[in-house]
Amino acid sequence: MNKSLRITVKGIVQGVGFRPYIYRLANNFSLCGCVYNTSSGVVIEVEGDENGVLGFIKSFPASVPPLAKIDNIEIESCSLEKRTQFEIIDSLPEKGRFVSISPDMGICRDCLSEMLSPSDRRYRYPFINCVNCGPRFTIIQDIPYDRDKTTMRKFRMCPICRKEYESPSNRRYHAQPNACHKCGPSVCLLDNDDSEIESIDPIQQASNLLQQSNIIAIKGIGGFHLACDATNDMVVQELRKRKGREEDKPFAIMSFDLATVKKYCKVNDEAERLLTAPSKPIVLLEKMPNCSISTYVAPNNNYLGVMLPYTPLHYLLLLSLKPEIPALVMTSGNFSDEPLTKDNDEAIKRLGKIADYFLMHNRDIHSRCDDSLTSVINSKKTIIRRSRGYAPLPIVLKLSVGQILAVGAEFKNTFCLTRDNYAFCSQHIGDLKNYETLKYFKESIERFKRLFRIEPEIIAHDLHPDYLSTKFAQESSYPLFPIQHHHAHIASCMAENGVDEKVIGVAMDGTGYGTDGNVWGCEFLLTDYSGFERAGHLKYLPLPGGDKATEEPYRMAISYLYSVFGEAIPSRFLKRWGDEKTLFIIKMLKQGLNSPLTSSAGRLFDAIASILGLRDKVNYEAQSAIELEMIADEHEKSGYGFEIYGEGDTLIINPTKTIFDIVGDMDSGVHLSVISARFHNTVLGWTLEICRRMRDKTGINKVALSGGVFQNHYLSERINPHLEEEGFMVISHAEVPTNDGGISLGQAVIAGNRVISK
Ligand code: ZN
Ligand code: ZN
Ligand code: FE
C-alpha cells in the first residue's frame, strides 16, 4: 500500500546540507516527493510504499549532516499526488515564521584537504567552503537563507561552481557562499595609505611581512584582527601602544594546529575538543614553563587565549610561518573600547594608525561577530564571550515565554530576544559606554528582530538607572520590566540548565544595582523566576569615589583597612600609598563623601590585591582579581576567620577577621601566594556556610552559581566539588557567560515568566 506524509522539521536545517541529505535518503528508500525550505524550517513530503515511508521516517533524524540540529519534528499525513520523482524545490517565504540560523563555522576537513592539494581547482583558494563549513550568520541579510539574501549576491557563480551548487549529490549543493578563484571573492594587500601592493600572492606576502615584525590588519569572518608575531616582544609592545589604553589586556593568539599549541600550553581533553570544534573558539590554556610566546601577550597571567585557524585564509597565512614562530597575535581589530571594525573603508580609517598593512578581501561582512572565548573549569566548557560559532543559536527554554526583548547590562553587553521557547542571545556587543557601541547594539537588535521575525511585547532591563541599555529601554514605547541584576544572573543560570524551581542563588560579581540603591555584588538569593529574597550578603562598606574605586583598587583597600583598624592603619600601608592620599580617602569615608555602600565581591578581591601590593590601579576590568588568582598556591588548604551574623532575616558576612589575619600573615612574612590561596579558601568557606544555613532553614538543596567571580578557576574548581560533597545539587553556566554577558537571558526568562503568570 502507498502512503504519503508531510514532515515539518525545525532547528538548524538551512545552509547545512539538510535538503540534499533528505534527497539522497528519499532516493535510497525509492520514495517520491519533495523537500523545500520555508521561513520556519524545512518541509519534506514523501510518498511511496508504506515500508519505505516508515523506514525513511525512522532513519532521517539519526544521521543528519554535522552542522544540522533538529529541535522539533511534526508529521502529518497528506493526500497522494502520484509523483514520479523526488526533488528539491525552491524556498517558500511565509510571513511571520522564523528559522534558526547557523553560526559561522570553521573550515571542514574536506575543504582543507582540497585547498592544500595542488591539483584541485581551489588550490590555495582562501574562500573555499561547503555546506559543512564557512560563513553564515555574518553574511546573512534576511531569511530564507538563499544566496541573494547574503553578501555573496554580488558574485556571479562560474559554470563549474553553479553546477556544484545545483547538483544534490555535491557537497556544495546550495552552499550559499560557494565560490572559486574564477568567480568568487579575492584578497589584496594594502599599505596604511590605502595603496595596493602589487603581489602574485598577497597572503604569502602578508605572512612574510608578519615575520619581519610588521603589524597587519586582517579581515576575517566577523571583522578585522590585528596580527603580529606572538614571540616578538618589541612588536607586541608596539601593538599595545598603538591600540591605546588597554595596557595589559590579554591578546588572543592563533597557531596552525594542535601539535603546535601543545608545545607552549597545557591542553587537556576538553580543551582539545573545544579548540578543534567547528565553532573554533578561543580557549584559555595554562602556559607551560618554557612557553616561547612573548610575556607581553598576556602579562601577569598564567593563561593564554589560543585558537586554531578557522578560515581558509588563516590556514594559508599560518602555513608559511617559519617554525620559530609558533603563533600570531590575533586580537580584535578595534581601537580601545570601540566595536570590532568590519568594513574595508572603515578599517583604513580607524585602524590606519595601528596597522602597517591591511590584508583585505571583497566579501562584505553584514554583521560583525567577535571571536568567542571559552575556558575549561571542572573539566567542563564554560563560555566567557559567546559570539562567533555560537551566536545566534538559540538557548532552548523549558517553557514558551512570548516575545520579549531583554537589553542586558552595561559591560560585556548582549541582548536577548525570545519567541516560543527559544531565547536568541545576541553575539557579544561590548561595553555600552560609547556612541559606536550603542549604535552597534541598536542595529543588532533591529537585525535580530528581522531575522527571527520577533516584535517584542515588552522590554526587560537592568535596575541601574544610568546603564545605556536602561536608557535605551526607557526611550522606547514598550511596557518596561526592570529586573535586579543578581536576580537576572541566577535566572540565567537556571534557564540554561532547564531549572524552574526555587534555588539557593549565589551571585558574586563586581557591580549590580540593588533594590536599596546600594552597589550589590556578593549575594545569596532565595529565588525563582517570580522573585527573590535576599537571604545573605557581604557586609556593606563604603566605596570611596564610586566608579573611581573600580579603577583604583587601593581606595577599597583603605576602606577595608579603615573598617578594621580605624585611623590606626598600619604604617606600611600609609607609606605605600602616601599619607596625603590615604588621609584624603579616610576623610571621604568619615564624611561619607561620594562613597556609596557596597557588598561587592569584586571590590573585596580588589582590596586584597591592593593590600598585598599586587596592584593599586587596574587597566582592564577584573585585572586585580585575575592577578590575585594567578599567584594563589594550589596546595594551601587553610583559610582565614570570618563572622556571620543575622540582621533581621538576612545573614551578613563580616570579613573583619579575614583582613586582620591577612595583615598578620604579611607581618610574619608569609608568602603572598599562600595568603592569596588562604583568602580564596575563606571565600569558599563562607559560601559553603551560608548555603548550609539556607538549606537548613528552607530545605532547598539546589545551588545556582553565577556572576563574573565564577570565571575564577581557583574558586570554581573548589566551590562546585565542595558543595557537591555536602550533598548540594549544583548548577553553573556552560552555554551563556557567567559574567554580565549572561544577564540578558536571565532578564528575558524573568520577564517572560511574569507575563505568562499574569
Ligand atoms: Zn567545507
Ligand atoms: Zn567559480
Ligand atoms: Fe554582574
Side-chain angles (χ1 to χ4, degrees):
M1 222 189 51
N2 272 5
K3 196 171 170 62
S4 179
L5 293 179
R6 179 180 296 115
I7 306 151
T8 308
V9 189
K10 284 185 184 170
I12 307 235
V13 287
Q14 294 189 9
V16 292
F18 193 77
R19 288 176 305 162
Y21 160 72
I22 292 297
Y23 174 89
R24 284 190 297 273
L25 197 68
N27 279 317
N28 286 350
F29 283 99
S30 313
L31 301 178
C32 297
C34 61
V35 57
Y36 53 92
N37 284 344
T38 67
S39 305
S40 62
V42 162
V43 172
I44 309 162
E45 293 176 12
V46 283
E47 61 180 77
D49 170 67
E50 186 165 356
N51 285 336
V53 171
L54 293 178
F56 173 85
I57 294 279
K58 237 172 104 184
S59 33
F60 96 81
S63 49
V64 295
L67 298 186
K69 190 176 157 282
I70 296 181
D71 288 336
N72 184 274
I73 300 172
E74 275 169 38
I75 302 174
E76 54 191 338
S77 55
C78 60
S79 55
L80 283 168
E81 291 187 27
K82 302 229 164 59
R83 287 178 269 218
T84 55
Q85 57 170 335
F86 194 91
E87 53 189 344
I88 299 174
I89 58 179
D90 281 342
S91 308
L92 288 187
E94 296 162 81
K95 240 185 142 222
R97 308 301 292 273
F98 78 103
V99 64
S100 289
I101 289 171
S102 167
D104 305 290
M105 289 300 180
I107 181 171
C108 73
R109 209 169 288 177
D110 293 336
C111 287
L112 187 59
S113 78
E114 283 175 8
M115 181 180 71
L116 300 179
S117 130
S119 60
D120 195 274
R121 74 184 190 93
R122 289 191 181 86
Y123 178 55
R124 292 185 67 85
Y125 183 56
F127 302 95
I128 186 169
N129 67 82
C130 72
V131 288
N132 300 321
C133 72
R136 298 285 186 278
F137 171 66
T138 52
I139 61 165
I140 294 176
Q141 292 157 321
D142 203 355
I143 55 166
Y145 175 55
D146 272 330
R147 189 170 175 113
D148 69 345
K149 294 198 173 68
T150 71
T151 61
M152 283 299 291
R153 183 183 37 216
K154 67 177 182 190
F155 300 100
R156 246 182 91 106
M157 271 182 275
C158 70
I160 308 178
C161 284
R162 160 104 9 226
K163 205 169 159 213
E164 293 168 337
Y165 182 87
E166 285 173 352
S167 31
S169 57
N170 196 288
R171 201 172 88 245
R172 299 199 164 86
Y173 175 77
H174 280 237
Q176 307 305 347
N178 189 29
C180 73
H181 282 293
K182 243 191 214 139
C183 66
S186 56
V187 289
C188 65
L189 186 66
L190 307 174
D191 65 18
N192 55 9
D193 280 332
D194 202 8
S195 3
E196 186 163 349
I197 294 170
E198 289 294 326
S199 170
I200 335 166
D201 191 339
I203 299 178
Q204 176 68 54
Q205 187 153 354
S207 181
N208 296 343
L209 287 165
L210 284 166
Q211 298 181 72
Q212 294 154 13
S213 312
N214 288 289
I215 296 169
I216 306 194
I218 298 169
K219 189 174 180 180
I221 287 258
F224 277 79
H225 281 121
L226 288 160
C228 70
D229 174 355
T231 61
N232 181 330
D233 288 351
M234 292 263 285
V235 70
V236 176
Q237 281 177 292
E238 180 63 24
L239 175 57
R240 286 203 176 279
K241 214 170 83 198
R242 292 192 203 167
K243 266 199 99 177
R245 292 232 290 120
E246 308 167 336
E247 285 161 58
D248 333 291
K249 204 171 180 176
F251 287 152
I253 59 175
M254 185 183 272
S255 281
F256 183 72
D257 59 10
L258 206 55
T260 313
V261 177
K262 286 180 175 170
K263 284 183 191 148
Y264 60 83
C265 273
K266 295 179 193 163
V267 185
N268 62 25
D269 290 352
E270 181 58 17
E272 181 164 331
R273 200 193 58 75
L274 274 169
L275 280 168
T276 54
S279 44
K280 294 280 170 79
I282 302 169
V283 187
L284 284 181
L285 302 171
E286 218 180 316
K287 291 178 195 171
M288 300 228 280
N290 59 345
C291 180
S292 57
I293 306 300
S294 165
T295 50
Y296 297 102
V297 168
N300 302 321
N301 204 313
N302 311 341
Y303 293 80
L304 279 172
V306 185
M307 61 185 148
L308 294 180
Y310 52 89
T311 69
L313 190 150
H314 293 148
Y315 266 102
L316 294 171
L317 192 71
L318 284 133
L319 189 61
S320 45
L321 286 184
K322 54 187 180 201
E324 299 87 273
I325 303 180
L328 293 177
V329 165
M330 286 291 243
T331 185
S332 312
N334 57 0
F335 182 75
S336 276
D337 301 318
E338 291 177 355
L340 199 59
T341 308
K342 75 175 176 70
D343 297 326
N344 295 2
D345 299 348
E346 186 196 354
I348 298 273
K349 220 167 60 201
R350 286 168 66 188
L351 305 178
K353 289 208 167 52
I354 306 177
D356 301 309
Y357 297 94
F358 289 81
L359 186 61
M360 303 257 209
H361 61 72
N362 55 349
R363 183 177 68 199
D364 292 333
I365 297 169
H366 181 63
S367 182
R368 24 171 104 69
C369 204
D370 287 75
D371 293 320
S372 290
L373 175 58
T374 63
S375 131
V376 178
I377 294 183
N378 292 316
S379 311
K380 283 196 303 232
K381 162 186 94 173
T382 59
I383 299 189
I384 299 169
R385 182 169 64 220
R386 185 179 183 273
S387 226
R388 177 185 50 75
Y390 299 102
L393 277 182
I395 306 295
V396 181
L397 305 174
K398 227 172 147 182
L399 280 178
S400 199
V401 292
Q403 303 204 357
I404 290 160
L405 168 61
V407 292
E410 174 103 326
F411 291 101
K412 301 182 163 68
N413 177 277
T414 65
F415 59 84
C416 176
L417 277 155
T418 61
R419 64 171 290 167
D420 308 334
N421 60 332
Y422 291 107
F424 296 96
C425 296
S426 73
Q427 74 274 31
H428 169 78
I429 302 292
D431 296 346
L432 282 184
K433 47 185 192 187
N434 57 51
Y435 169 78
E436 291 295 328
T437 314
L438 186 66
K439 190 169 149 235
Y440 175 36
F441 167 79
K442 290 178 181 170
E443 283 167 4
S444 302
I445 290 176
E446 285 313 309
R447 179 158 182 262
F448 266 61
K449 279 162 66 179
R450 190 171 68 243
L451 284 180
F452 301 113
R453 306 289 195 254
I454 295 175
E455 202 34 71
E457 299 150 47
I458 54 171
I459 298 192
H461 64 86
D462 196 276
L463 268 187
H464 202 303
D466 299 331
Y467 280 0
L468 286 182
S469 55
T470 303
K471 290 187 171 152
F472 166 83
Q474 286 165 345
E475 280 161 18
S476 75
S477 52
Y478 299 97
L480 299 182
F481 269 80
I483 288 162
Q484 202 281 324
H485 189 89
H486 302 97
H487 186 203
H489 265 305
I490 301 301
S492 168
C493 178
M494 291 167 63
E496 73 154 281
N497 285 286
V499 167
D500 51 14
E501 75 262 30
K502 208 166 237 179
V503 300
I504 296 170
V506 183
M508 287 201 252
D509 65 359
T511 304
Y513 196 85
T515 49
D516 56 3
N518 292 332
V519 182
W520 294 9
C522 179
E523 310 303 318
F524 293 78
L525 310 178
L526 204 55
T527 180
D528 57 18
Y529 298 135
S530 66
F532 71 91
E533 189 187 308
R534 194 182 188 201
H537 64 85
L538 187 62
K539 188 181 169 196
Y540 279 139
L541 267 198
L543 182 64
D547 285 346
K548 209 150 179 124
T550 310
E551 289 157 32
E552 300 179 348
Y554 79 91
R555 289 167 177 265
M556 206 56 209
I558 295 173
S559 187
Y560 268 104
L561 289 169
Y562 180 71
S563 77
V564 177
F565 299 100
E567 283 179 57
I569 292 182
S571 60
R572 63 156 78 213
F573 299 110
L574 294 173
K575 248 184 247 151
R576 193 188 308 147
W577 297 312
D579 286 339
E580 208 178 314
K581 232 159 127 186
T582 314
L583 289 177
F584 175 72
I585 302 289
I586 291 179
K587 199 172 143 199
M588 284 179 83
L589 292 168
K590 269 162 84 179
Q591 302 181 347
L593 269 175
N594 188 19
S595 296
L597 291 179
T598 186
S599 57
S600 161
R603 295 299 82 77
L604 174 63
F605 278 75
D606 283 356
I608 305 300
S610 175
I611 286 173
L612 297 189
L614 293 176
R615 180 159 291 282
D616 290 330
K617 201 171 175 307
V618 297
N619 298 315
Y620 63 89
E621 202 215 346
Q623 183 178 14
S624 54
I626 290 170
E627 292 180 359
L628 183 62
E629 178 198 343
M630 292 306 143
I631 63 160
D633 182 345
E634 294 272 324
H635 305 292
E636 177 60 31
K637 294 277 183 289
S638 69
Y640 296 118
F642 56 86
E643 179 202 3
I644 293 177
Y645 62 89
E647 223 175 60
D649 280 341
T650 315
L651 298 168
I652 309 291
I653 304 156
N654 179 4
T656 296
K657 182 133 188 11
T658 315
I659 305 292
F660 192 81
D661 287 353
I662 288 175
V663 174
D665 266 359
M666 288 173 79
D667 289 342
S668 3
V670 176
H671 200 277
L672 294 188
S673 61
V674 174
I675 301 181
S676 165
R678 288 180 179 167
F679 166 69
H680 280 86
N681 295 338
T682 311
V683 176
L684 168 68
W686 77 52
T687 304
L688 291 171
E689 182 57 25
I690 301 244
C691 287
R692 281 182 212 123
R693 292 197 193 191
M694 286 173 76
R695 175 167 67 182
D696 290 347
K697 197 172 162 192
T698 62
I700 292 170
N701 192 44
K702 197 166 269 178
V703 179
L705 306 173
S706 189
V709 167
F710 293 101
Q711 282 167 215
N712 184 312
H713 285 74
Y714 187 99
L715 212 54
S716 282
E717 284 177 353
R718 286 166 178 76
I719 283 186
N720 293 52
H722 271 91
L723 283 168
E724 279 160 8
E725 245 168 58
E726 297 195 20
F728 286 101
M729 244 291 287
V730 186
I731 55 170
S732 44
H733 287 277
E735 292 306 323
V736 298
T738 195
N739 57 49
D740 284 4
I743 286 285
S744 60
L745 175 65
Q747 292 172 341
V749 287
I750 291 170
N753 197 270
R754 289 192 208 163
V755 173
I756 299 168
S757 57
K758 258 205 299 194

